[in-house]
Amino acid sequence: MNARSGSQGSNSSSVYPLGNADLKQLRAMVGGNELGLTPAFTAGTTSYRVETSAAQVEIQAIQADINAAVTLLEETYTGARTVSLAEGDNIFKITIKAKNGMIKIYGLIIHRN
C-alpha cells in the first residue's frame, strides 16, 4: 500500500520543475486540417509518421514547459512552422531543450505520396 500511495502522490508534472523537455502537442496540418499521426500523440512517444499528398505541411510543436525551447530544422520557433516536402519520406527532428539543459528529441516522418 505504501508504494501505491507514494507513486501516485509525487509523480506529477512538478517532478522536473525546470527539466521538462516534453511536447504537450504535436500536429501536422494541411490547409487547416489535421493529419492523423501514427501512433496518436502522447508526450512519452518520440517517433511519429504521417502521410499526405500535399507539397507543404505546417508542423505545430507545443512544448509542455513554456520555458523550454523548440527547435526544428536548426531554428528555434514557437507555435507552428511550414515545411516543404519532397516525394517520399521527409524526416524531421524536433528538439526540446528544457531550461536546465535536459533535451528530448521527437522524430516525425512525413511521407508525401
Side-chain angles (χ1 to χ4, degrees):
M1 286 189 177
N2 289 343
R4 181 176 175 234
S5 63
S7 66
Q8 290 198 5
S10 62
N11 285 346
S12 67
S13 60
S14 64
V15 173
Y16 302 105
L18 297 176
N20 188 345
D22 288 340
L23 281 179
K24 176 172 66 173
Q25 184 178 83
L26 178 62
R27 292 181 177 169
M29 309 280 290
V30 173
N33 297 313
E34 187 172 353
L35 303 173
L37 295 178
T38 303
F41 178 76
T42 62
T45 302
T46 58
S47 184
Y48 297 92
R49 183 176 178 88
V50 69
E51 294 195 17
T52 185
S53 59
Q56 291 187 323
V57 170
E58 181 181 85
I59 298 174
Q60 296 179 351
I62 309 297
Q63 69 273 40
D65 179 352
I66 193 72
N67 295 310
V70 179
T71 305
L72 173 65
L73 299 174
E74 300 182 17
E75 290 184 16
T76 302
Y77 79 105
T78 57
R81 178 151 182 209
T82 300
V83 295
S84 296
L85 303 175
E87 288 187 12
D89 285 348
N90 296 264
I91 301 170
F92 298 96
K93 180 174 79 170
I94 301 160
T95 304
I96 315 304
K97 185 174 182 183
K99 192 168 184 159
N100 72 351
M102 176 185 279
I103 293 174
K104 190 169 191 178
I105 299 171
Y106 291 82
L108 176 60
I109 298 172
I110 303 176
H111 182 84
R112 180 178 172 202
N113 300 323

